[in-house]
Structures are given as C-alpha cells and as structure tokens.
C-alpha cells in the first residue's frame, strides 16, 4: 500500500489546493450529508439514546440529571436541548430520506441526470418539512 | 485475480463484501419501520416525566420494538462505520479503529438492552 503513493483513492475530492476535481452538485451534497448524519447519529445519537434508556432504568434521580441537561427549571427545552433535539430529528429525517433515495437507486432507477439531481434536492426539502412538522406537533400538544 | 464475474459475486479480499452491502440494505428497511415507530411513540407520549416514560417502556408494546430497534440500528451503524473507516483509514489505524467501533457498538448495545429488560421485567410502580 505505502509503495504506491500518488494513486487516487475513493473518495477522491481535490485535484489541487482548494480545487475540486468535479463540479459540485446536489447529489454530492446528499451523499456527504448521508454520511455525516449517519456518523452523527451513530456517535452522539447512540450515546444520548443509551443514556436516556439507562436513566429510565436507573430511576427518578438519574432521569432528573438527564432532563436537567436539556431543559430549564420550568420544564421547557434550553438552548442545548433545542440544538440537540432539532439537530438529531433533522439528521434522522435527512438520513432516512437519502437512505430511501439510496434504495431507489439500488434498483437501477433515477440515474438520469435531471431526475437524479432533483431527487437529491427533494431529500433536503422533505427532511426539513418533516422536522418542522414534528416540532409543530410537539409544540401544539 | 479471478474472473470478472467472480469479483462481482463478492469474492473480495475477505469474501464478505456482498453480504455486508446486503445487510446494510436489509437493516435500512427495518430501521425505517422502527425509527418511525420511535418518533411516533415519543411524539404521542402524554408527558416526559420519569413515571410516564418508565411505564411506557415497561409495556411489552414498547420494550420489544425498542430492543429490536437497538439490534437493527446498532448492527446497521456498525456496518456503516466500518465502510467509513475503510474509506479514510489505512494501515494500522484502520485495524485499531475497527476494533474500537466493535467495542463501542457492543458496550452501548449491551447497556441499552440491559436497561430495556430491567424496566420491562421490573415492578410496575
Ligand atoms: C431511518 C431509517 C434508515 C435508513 C432508511 C437508512 C439507510 C441507509 C442506507 C441505504 C445506507 C447505505 C448507504 C450506502 O450504500 O452507501 C446507510 C448507511 C449508514 N447508516 Fe443508515 N439508515 C437509517 C437509519 C440509520 C440510523 C438510525 C443510523 C445511526 C444511528 C444510521 C447510520 C448509518 C451509517 C453510519 C451509515 C454509513 C454511511 C456511509 O457509508 O457513509 N442509519 N443507511
């Protein structure tokens, strides 16, 4: 491996300093955001989910510590609660939408340039609308 | 080297490429169902105090899908993180990071499943 230095490897992005190898497109954004949201959920999301479950199991005191980190004394979300809450729900919806796009493309469909780019843009529109809908639902309960 | 068709059939260095890819897709499907269930459950909980949330997880209707979600999502992201490591990391660090991902996945999954079972089999109040 080390004896062949300059061979391009996947993912190959740059052909010079600050010079992209390709013209940037929605599909590339969807691709890297799929990776970023997957990694974010797998690390931060996993730790939070496991902490939440362990706190429920450990009892009211441990659960109170969890709530205190993300809420104010009145019980509404604090700044961190909003950032983590909206960030995680958007990540879930975005990864879900681009994941469905992946599965569609695995059937060999939607590789035509126009359809492909439009579907990539659509994942962002859909995930943002779903995130807004989710939080409006919570707020109006 | 082998033939083209032999390579396509997944006979890569470890012989597991096609299976890895397929399991990523299978768990994508089960993730979808279970994540929709979790979001809907959280959204429709009457409140988020300890008593309410614990009573919810105590029910088999929540404990079983939650345990299945842990299995599906954690297997899915372990497969996914392995691909990410193999894309960016080479030589010794690739081995170390892969082991770390396995340790992380097993430790978090174990804690999650234990917590779910403790609540599910615990007393009602
Ligand atoms: C909501 C339902 C989900 C769907 C439909 C879905 C779908 C997918 C698909 C199709 C892939 C493979 C992409 C490829 O072939 O390159 C993938 C990769 C991945 N997923 Fe998911 N996923 C879901 C939920 C999750 C969750 C909850 C997590 C983390 C906790 C996660 C973490 C990952 C990671 C880390 C990867 C690897 C990303 C990469 O290779 O860049 N996924 N997902």
């Amino acid at each position: 491996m080390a004896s062949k230095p300059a061979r391009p490897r996947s993912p190959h992005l740059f052909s010079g300093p600050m010079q992209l190898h390709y013209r940037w497109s929605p599909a590339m954004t969807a691709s890297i955001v799929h990776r970023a949201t997957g990694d974010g959920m797998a690390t931060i999301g996993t730790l939070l989910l496991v902490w939440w479950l362990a706190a429920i199991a450990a009892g009211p005191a441990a659960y109170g510590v969890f709530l205190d980190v993300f809420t104010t004394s009145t019980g509404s979300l604090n700044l961190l609660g909003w950032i983590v809450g909206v960030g995680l729900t958007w990540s879930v919806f975005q990864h879900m939408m681009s994941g469905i796009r992946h599965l569609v493309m695995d059937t060999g469909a939607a590789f035509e340039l126009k359809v492909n780019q439009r579907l990539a843009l659509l994942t962002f529109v859909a995930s943002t609308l779903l995130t807004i809908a989710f939080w409006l639902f919570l707020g109006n309960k | 080297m082998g033939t083209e068709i032999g390579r396509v059939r997944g006979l890569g260095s470890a012989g597991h490429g096609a299976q890895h890819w397929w399991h990523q897709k299978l768990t994508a499907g089960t993730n979808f169902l279970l994540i929709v269930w979790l979001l809907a459950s959280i959204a429709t909980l009457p409140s988020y105090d300890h008593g309410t949330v614990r009573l919810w997880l105590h029910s088999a209707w929540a404990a079983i899908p939650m345990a299945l979600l842990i299995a599906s999502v954690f297997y899915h992201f372990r497969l996914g993180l392995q691909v990410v490591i193999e894309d960016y990391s080479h030589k010794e660090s690739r081995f170390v990071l892969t082991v770390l991902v396995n340790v992380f996945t097993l430790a978090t999954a174990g804690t999650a499943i234990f917590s779910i079972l403790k609540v599910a089999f615990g007393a009602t109040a």
Side-chain angles (χ1 to χ4, degrees), chain A:
Chain A
M1 253 184 281
S3 56
K4 294 178 188 155
R7 277 168 72 202
R9 326 185 247 233
S10 170
H12 182 57
L13 290 181
F14 298 99
S15 49
M18 296 307 286
Q19 190 190 356
L20 277 178
H21 205 65
Y22 312 103
R23 192 152 58 90
W24 197 256
S25 72
M28 296 177 200
T29 312
S31 171
I32 193 60
V33 172
H34 187 78
R35 173 156 286 188
T37 51
D39 294 352
M41 288 189 294
T43 51
I44 301 171
T46 293
L47 289 174
L48 286 176
L49 177 66
V50 172
W51 180 17
W52 184 60
L53 291 171
I56 299 171
Y63 192 79
V65 173
F66 178 88
L67 282 187
D68 273 353
V69 174
F70 301 107
T71 56
T72 63
S73 49
T74 62
S76 51
L77 288 176
N78 62 22
L79 184 63
L80 184 66
W82 276 111
I83 293 172
V84 171
V86 173
L88 268 184
T89 43
W90 186 80
S91 295
V92 170
F93 285 128
Q94 175 57 33
H95 188 94
M96 188 187 273
M97 292 304 120
S98 50
I100 292 171
R101 175 172 174 272
H102 257 290
L103 299 177
V104 169
M105 291 178 66
D106 286 338
T107 70
F111 276 90
E112 302 79 12
L113 198 56
K114 270 235 172 69
V115 182
N116 187 284
Q117 303 297 355
R118 232 177 254 153
L119 206 58
L121 273 179
L122 198 63
T123 64
F124 291 98
V125 176
S127 66
T128 306
L129 289 177
L130 284 166
T131 308
I132 294 171
F134 183 83
W135 287 93
L136 281 180
F137 180 87
L138 281 187
N140 288 320
K141 272 208 303 185

Side-chain angles (χ1 to χ4, degrees), chain A residues 9-11 35 39 42 46-47 50 52-54 56-57 59-60 63 92-93 96 103 106 134 137-138 141, chain B residues 21 25 32 35 39 43 45 48 50 53-54 56-57 74 77 81 83-84 87-88 90 104 108 111 115 118-119:
Chain A
R9 326 185 247 233
S10 170
R35 173 156 286 188
D39 294 352
T46 293
L47 289 174
V50 172
W52 184 60
L53 291 171
I56 299 171
Y63 192 79
V92 170
F93 285 128
M96 188 187 273
L103 299 177
D106 286 338
F134 183 83
F137 180 87
L138 281 187
K141 272 208 303 185
Chain B
W21 183 87
K25 306 296 159 169
F32 177 81
I35 293 277
L39 289 173
L45 271 176
Y48 301 98
H50 182 255
V53 174
R54 193 188 169 282
W56 166 73
L57 192 60
F74 283 40
F77 82 60
L81 290 181
V83 174
V84 178
D87 274 351
Y88 303 119
H90 309 274
F104 174 78
T108 49
T111 310
S115 302
K118 188 179 173 210
V119 172

